[in-house]
């Protein structure tokens, strides 16, 4: 098969062998062809708009002990913080006033906030204006998820991290890998636009399992997929492992674009920590259509250290937005002026007005 046939097959009928081929090839022309193909699929299926999602990291307390994560409960060297519900609402409304159309509320798995707290926060944020609310708060019960949705939350992010169940259960001992997939399915049936993702380059991860992850994304028909390199955090048991590879992360991004076509794919912050000057641009040219700027109030930002140097890159919110505007325009693209929901795919896909 020549490279064009391979790419067409990847697009029409992706199989594990073919995905693995592109994860492994060292041929610069083939890699380049993969990226160009992904960029065309991006243009055809999601267009030139780049969606900006403002992240507010509202608590770094976490009851999980994931071996890769800097805010896991056993790390005694970080200062823990929790924003009050009204502080979270104020930060979200500020993001709205700064021009953002989506806020992503992210935290460790912190049982402190009740279902009632979340409902209050979501409803209040919805009073600010037309602002999509994404939650990224971990494993909760189905009834909790339903309560957030009926309060008005639009989207939910829950990464499955790796489809290698043995590896996940070794790295995140209290997690049951199967439960993550079950939860993703459940979030979808509740009506959320649902996001997943993996880390790339986890110690012990194989390319074969990454190919499985990409096929799983397609099977789950996710609305958003965030994949970033693993970055070792010195205060964790995996602190001496190697970084995930920047190059492999672009390949996974391009493959996700070709295989899932119209999914929202961010240029992740962890990718930018590996290449501060060029990663966003390269990711946008290789399949990405989303950037997630950090709008956590500055006094808390440095404590949300999932991995080292996470917050170095975008210290000044306004300057960062201007920088993004320039970058996006230089690529002939534009910042989306809508909340940027994924288009419905068929009867009953998403039922809320305007989605
Ligand atoms: N390097 C990169 N990403 C990480 N995450 C957690 N720890 C790390 C790390 N060391 C990612 C996980 C998690 C998200 C919030 O951050 O994918 O789901």
């Amino acid at each position: 098969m020549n490279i064009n046939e391979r790419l067409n097959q990847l697009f029409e009928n992706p199989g594990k062998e073919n995905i693995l081929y592109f994860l492994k090839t060292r041929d610069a022309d083939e890699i380049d062809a993969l990226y160009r193909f992904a960029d065309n699929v991006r243009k055809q299926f999601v267009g030139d708009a780049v969606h900006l999602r403002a992240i507010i990291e509202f608590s770094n307390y976490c009851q999980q002990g994931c071996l890769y994560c800097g805010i896991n409960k056993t790390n005694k060297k970080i200062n823990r913080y929790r924003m009050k519900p009204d502080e979270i609402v104020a930060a979200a409304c500020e993001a709205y006033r700064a021009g953002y159309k989506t806020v992503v509320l992210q935290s460790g798995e912190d049982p402190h906030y009740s279902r009632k707290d979340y409902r209050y926060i979501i409803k209040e944020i919805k009073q600010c204006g037309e602002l999509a609310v994404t939650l990224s708060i971990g494993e909760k019960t189905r009834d909790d998820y339903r309560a957030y949705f009926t309060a008005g939350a639009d989207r939910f992010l829950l990464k499955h991290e790796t489809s290698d169940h043995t590896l996940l259960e070794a790295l995140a001992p209290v997690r049951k890998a199967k439960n993550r997939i079950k939860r993703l399915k459940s979030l979808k049936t509740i009506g959320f636009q649902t996001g997943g993702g993996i880390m790339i380059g986890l110690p012990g991860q194989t390319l074969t399992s990454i190919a499985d992850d990409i096929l799983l994304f397609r099977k789950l028909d996710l609305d958003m997929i965030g994949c970033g390199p693993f970055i070792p955090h010195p205060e964790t048991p995996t602190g001496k492992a190697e970084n995930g590879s920047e190059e492999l992360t672009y390949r996974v991004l391009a493959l996700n674009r070709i295989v899932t076509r119209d999914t929202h794919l961010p240029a992740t912050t962890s990718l930018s920590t590996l290449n501060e000057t060029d990663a966003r641009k390269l990711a946008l040219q290789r399949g990405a259509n989303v950037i997630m700027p950090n709008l956590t109030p500055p006094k808390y930002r440095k404590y949300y250290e999932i991995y080292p140097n996470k917050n170095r890159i975008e210290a000044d919110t306004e300057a960062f937005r201007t920088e993004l505007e320039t970058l996006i325009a230089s690529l002939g693209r534009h910042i989306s002026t809508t909340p940027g929901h994924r288009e419905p795919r068929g009867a009953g896909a998403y039922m809320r007005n305007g989605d």
Side-chain angles (χ1 to χ4, degrees), residues 175-231:
R175 290 201 194 292
K176 280 276 151 276
K178 279 198 183 120
N179 287 350
R180 289 243 133 178
I181 310 298
K182 244 176 39 202
R183 282 192 161 82
L184 284 170
K185 289 180 181 162
S186 173
L187 287 161
K188 274 190 68 117
T189 59
I190 288 168
F192 282 108
Q193 300 217 353
T194 303
I198 60 168
M199 277 175 283
I200 294 163
L202 284 168
Q205 187 183 38
T206 62
L207 292 182
T208 309
S209 83
I210 294 180
D212 286 332
D213 288 312
I214 294 170
L215 287 169
L216 181 64
F217 290 143
R218 178 179 163 98
K219 192 164 146 215
L220 291 171
D221 188 24
L222 295 176
D223 304 295
M224 307 163 278
I225 302 167
C227 296
F230 160 72
I231 299 175

Side-chain angles (χ1 to χ4, degrees), residues 8-259:
N8 280 321
Q9 194 191 68
L10 193 63
F11 178 72
E12 297 294 346
N13 185 20
K16 194 161 162 178
E17 291 277 302
N18 211 6
I19 292 175
L20 264 172
Y21 182 88
F22 285 104
L23 290 173
K24 284 182 180 164
T25 181
R26 289 164 185 267
D27 182 315
D29 291 339
E30 291 188 347
I31 298 168
D32 199 47
L34 173 75
Y35 293 154
R36 274 188 283 117
F37 198 96
D39 198 40
N40 281 330
V41 174
R42 187 270 309 153
K43 195 172 174 70
Q44 192 185 338
F45 284 85
V46 295
D48 286 334
V50 177
H51 302 282
L52 303 185
R53 324 287 203 197
I55 304 201
I56 298 165
E57 298 156 334
F58 63 90
S59 162
N60 69 353
Y61 281 85
C62 190
Q63 61 182 7
Q64 296 282 358
C66 305
L67 271 52
Y68 45 81
C69 183
I71 66 167
N72 86 67
K73 67 176 176 192
T74 62
N75 185 1
K76 303 282 181 251
K77 296 214 174 144
I78 53 168
N79 291 326
R80 303 278 173 175
Y81 71 91
R82 261 185 199 119
M83 288 168 63
K84 295 200 171 60
D86 284 327
E87 256 184 306
I88 301 171
V89 174
C93 294
E94 204 176 308
Y96 177 73
R97 284 192 293 275
Y100 293 93
K101 308 290 179 194
T102 294
V103 282
V104 181
L105 305 183
Q106 188 174 91
S107 69
E109 254 178 46
D110 183 357
H112 170 83
Y113 300 91
S114 66
R115 197 186 285 179
K116 206 169 143 209
D117 290 332
Y118 281 116
R119 288 181 62 85
Y120 171 80
I121 292 164
I122 295 160
K123 287 186 175 174
E124 288 296 306
I125 291 176
K126 287 286 175 174
Q127 301 297 313
C128 303
E130 198 196 355
L131 190 57
V133 174
T134 304
L135 300 176
S136 176
I137 56 176
E139 298 184 1
K140 305 278 176 186
T141 67
R142 188 180 164 92
D143 284 347
D144 286 328
Y145 290 148
R146 216 193 309 263
Y148 311 148
F149 186 73
T150 56
D154 302 88
R155 309 189 190 125
F156 203 103
L157 303 180
L158 187 72
K159 296 188 178 184
H160 76 266
E161 314 295 6
T162 168
S163 58
D164 180 337
H165 288 188
T166 314
L167 179 62
L168 184 69
E169 287 168 18
L171 290 174
V174 288
R175 290 201 194 292
K176 280 276 151 276
K178 279 198 183 120
N179 287 350
R180 289 243 133 178
I181 310 298
K182 244 176 39 202
R183 282 192 161 82
L184 284 170
K185 289 180 181 162
S186 173
L187 287 161
K188 274 190 68 117
T189 59
I190 288 168
F192 282 108
Q193 300 217 353
T194 303
I198 60 168
M199 277 175 283
I200 294 163
L202 284 168
Q205 187 183 38
T206 62
L207 292 182
T208 309
S209 83
I210 294 180
D212 286 332
D213 288 312
I214 294 170
L215 287 169
L216 181 64
F217 290 143
R218 178 179 163 98
K219 192 164 146 215
L220 291 171
D221 188 24
L222 295 176
D223 304 295
M224 307 163 278
I225 302 167
C227 296
F230 160 72
I231 299 175
H233 189 297
E235 296 302 331
T236 63
T238 56
K240 293 207 159 51
E242 268 181 50
N243 273 348
S245 139
E246 182 186 352
E247 169 66 32
L248 184 60
T249 306
Y250 295 126
R251 291 205 207 176
V252 173
L253 169 66
L255 287 163
N256 278 337
R257 174 55 72 207
I258 297 168
V259 167

